């Protein structure tokens, strides 16, 4: 993402709640990718244009987000928080920190899809749930992160850093983040709107109607095929065509967001609008990005290979988004 700027000139980032230089309150609106720098006037927060706001109820009561609401909006929740169907049990202290991490990742995901012209206000909802691994008194023995009928479910434990590492190692994954989960599940959410031609999808990814349960059982029992790196962006993408799509959707968002950040800081030149140009720029940038991380003794931030087959899949996702955006604009 691009860095934003406070009224005082200090750089701001989408997670900021306050300017470190002048002390002004700040708020991020993910639907429009806008960072507000606000002065207080009694109970109102006022932007540089004189428009008045009040803090989101979840911000005011729990400091769980950095959103605001128009002063005259009847809804007490910001655009991101009003998508929540279920929030973590905040009477448990550890869940408040987890919730903040979930909300920060969710807002960044919403900002990314909004930039691409996709609308989350078409039924997307969120359930942040626990199971008995973290809370012995809840009913659910196991809550899987996933998507169904517009609802994105995330196990609250995914926002626990220790548990995230444990799951990553247990699953044999080189990359596992809350943001990655949300972008992946957003891919499932937008699939019905973006894929009008199933035959074209089948030619690129495989049969979307293949038995999902059986496919995942085979994957967890036998693992990916030996040549999976030549055909898929990740091991999990090989489990089912719909998972392949969702992984590619997520990676397109990873690349779009990170490239925008890299361009804004002068690390790379602005790539062309063509998806293949962007992917070529990304491939060149990902190598030094990984090396920089290794220089600090950290893991590769992008441990993936963009083969020609994977590039064609990413191109397919980008083309589907463009077609949807153009059709929506023409309607």
């Amino acid at each position: 993402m691009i860095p934003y700027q406070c009224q005082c000139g200090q750089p701001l980032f989408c997670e900021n709640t306050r300017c470190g230089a002048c002390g002004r309150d700040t708020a991020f609106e993910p639907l429009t990718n806008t960072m507000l720098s606000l002065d207080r006037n009694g109970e109102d927060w006022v932007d540089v244009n004189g428009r008045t706001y009040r803090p989101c109820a979840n911000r005011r009561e729990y400091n769980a987000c950095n959103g605001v609401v128009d002063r005259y909006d009847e809804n007490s929740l910001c655009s991101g928080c009003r998508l929540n169907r279920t929030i973590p049990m905040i009477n448990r202290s550890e869940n408040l920190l987890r919730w903040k991490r979930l909300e920060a990742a969710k807002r960044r995901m919403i900002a990314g899809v909004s930039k691409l012209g996709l609308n989350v206000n078409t039924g997307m909802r969120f359930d942040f749930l626990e199971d008995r691994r973290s809370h012995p008194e809840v009913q659910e023995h196991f809550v899987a992160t996933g998507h169904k009928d517009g609802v994105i479910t995330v196990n609250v434990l995914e926002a626990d850093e220790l548990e995230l590492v444990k799951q990553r190692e247990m699953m044999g994954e080189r990359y596992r983040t809350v943001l990655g989960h949300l972008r992946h599940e957003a891919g499932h959410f937008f699939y019905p709107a973006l894929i009008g031609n199933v035959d074209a999808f089948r030619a690129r990814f495989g049969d979307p109607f293949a038995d999902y349960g059986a496919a995942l059982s085979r994957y967890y029992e036998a693992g990916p095929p030996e040549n999976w790196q030549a055909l898929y962006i990740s091991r999990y993408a090989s489990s089912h065509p719909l998972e392949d799509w969702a992984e590619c959707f997520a990676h397109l968002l990873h690349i779009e967001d990170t490239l925008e950040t890299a361009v804004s800081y002068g690390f790379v030149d602005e790539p062309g609008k063509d998806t293949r140009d962007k992917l070529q720029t990304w491939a060149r940038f990902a190598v030094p990005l990984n090396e920089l991380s290794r220089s600090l003794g950290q893991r590769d931030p992008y441990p993936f290979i963009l083969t020609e087959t994977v590039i064609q899949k990413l191109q397919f996702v980008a083309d589907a988004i463009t077609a949807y955006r153009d059709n929506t604009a023409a309607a």
Side-chain angles (χ1 to χ4, degrees):
M1 298 182 74
I2 61 171
Y4 303 93
Q5 198 172 60
C6 180
Q7 294 180 45
C8 72
Q10 177 77 5
L12 297 172
F13 307 94
C14 67
E15 293 85 6
N16 285 142
T17 58
R18 185 179 295 271
C19 175
C22 71
R24 283 185 173 90
D25 294 294
T26 61
F28 182 61
E29 172 47 68
L31 295 179
T32 59
N33 283 271
T34 303
M35 175 62 77
L36 300 171
S37 172
L38 303 161
D39 290 300
R40 295 203 185 193
N41 182 14
E43 294 185 356
D44 291 339
W45 293 7
V46 186
D47 69 12
V48 68
N49 297 313
R51 187 174 177 180
T52 56
Y53 303 85
R54 65 185 191 278
C56 170
N58 285 340
R59 178 175 184 169
R60 184 181 63 251
E61 297 178 29
Y62 310 112
N63 197 29
C65 76
N66 65 345
V68 291
V69 182
D70 186 281
R71 181 70 178 84
Y72 302 103
D73 193 329
E74 294 181 357
N75 200 315
S76 64
L77 298 175
C78 66
S79 62
C81 287
R82 67 185 64 175
L83 298 179
N84 292 341
R85 200 173 71 160
T86 309
I87 63 173
M89 300 177 187
I90 51 177
N91 60 328
R92 309 181 72 231
S93 59
E94 61 269 33
N95 278 349
L96 185 56
L97 177 57
R98 294 167 180 166
W99 185 24
K100 291 178 182 179
R101 291 171 177 164
L102 289 166
E103 289 297 334
K106 186 183 76 177
R107 297 171 81 80
R108 188 175 281 267
M109 180 276 286
I110 293 172
V113 299
S114 297
K115 283 182 183 179
L116 294 178
L118 301 176
N119 185 4
V120 298
N121 288 319
T122 52
M124 184 180 286
R125 294 293 181 268
F126 293 87
D127 282 344
F128 298 137
L129 302 176
E130 286 189 275
D131 59 31
R132 292 190 181 179
R133 290 175 297 168
S134 60
H135 192 341
E137 298 178 9
V138 299
Q139 182 177 356
E140 295 81 3
H141 288 273
F142 179 79
V143 170
T145 294
H147 167 267
K148 184 179 180 181
D149 299 331
V151 179
I152 293 175
T153 299
V154 181
N155 192 311
V156 173
L157 273 181
E158 293 291 347
D160 184 286
E161 292 186 355
L162 179 59
E163 188 64 28
L164 194 64
V165 172
K166 287 172 59 179
Q167 289 295 320
R168 186 187 67 203
E169 297 303 317
M170 184 175 69
M171 301 296 290
E173 299 171 337
R174 300 184 68 190
Y175 173 92
R176 188 183 183 96
T177 67
V178 175
L179 181 57
H181 283 315
L182 291 174
R183 286 173 170 165
H184 175 100
E185 302 307 336
H188 285 301
F189 173 84
F190 285 112
Y191 170 82
L194 297 178
I195 301 303
N197 187 338
V198 176
D199 289 337
F201 178 92
R202 184 181 289 110
R204 182 61 62 201
F205 290 93
D207 184 8
F209 303 112
D211 189 304
Y212 185 80
L216 258 64
S217 293
R218 284 195 300 271
Y219 172 76
Y220 286 121
E221 290 174 6
E226 290 186 6
N227 64 336
W228 70 266
Q229 287 184 309
L231 304 174
Y232 303 98
I233 188 65
S234 69
R235 293 166 57 95
Y236 187 61
S238 70
S239 64
H240 189 277
L242 291 178
E243 297 302 337
D244 194 6
W245 157 270
E247 283 288 87
C248 288
F249 183 95
H251 277 261
L252 192 67
L253 287 175
H254 293 335
I255 291 167
E256 290 274 356
D257 193 11
T258 311
L259 268 186
E260 183 182 59
T261 306
V263 169
S264 69
Y265 282 98
F267 292 122
V268 297
D269 294 330
E270 181 80 46
K273 293 184 178 181
D274 181 75
T275 300
R276 188 169 284 269
D277 287 344
K278 290 182 179 179
L279 295 178
Q280 289 174 347
T281 300
W282 172 252
R284 291 193 298 270
F285 177 64
V287 173
L289 178 65
N290 287 337
E291 283 299 316
L292 285 168
S293 184
R294 293 173 188 176
S295 296
L296 291 170
Q298 300 296 319
R299 300 168 64 96
D300 289 355
Y302 195 77
F304 304 97
I305 299 172
L306 301 185
T307 65
E308 178 58 30
T309 299
V310 169
I311 288 173
Q312 291 175 10
K313 291 178 179 179
L314 293 169
Q315 180 75 60
F316 184 96
V317 176
D319 290 346
I321 293 171
T322 299
Y324 171 85
R325 185 172 61 235
D326 292 346
N327 291 336
T328 302

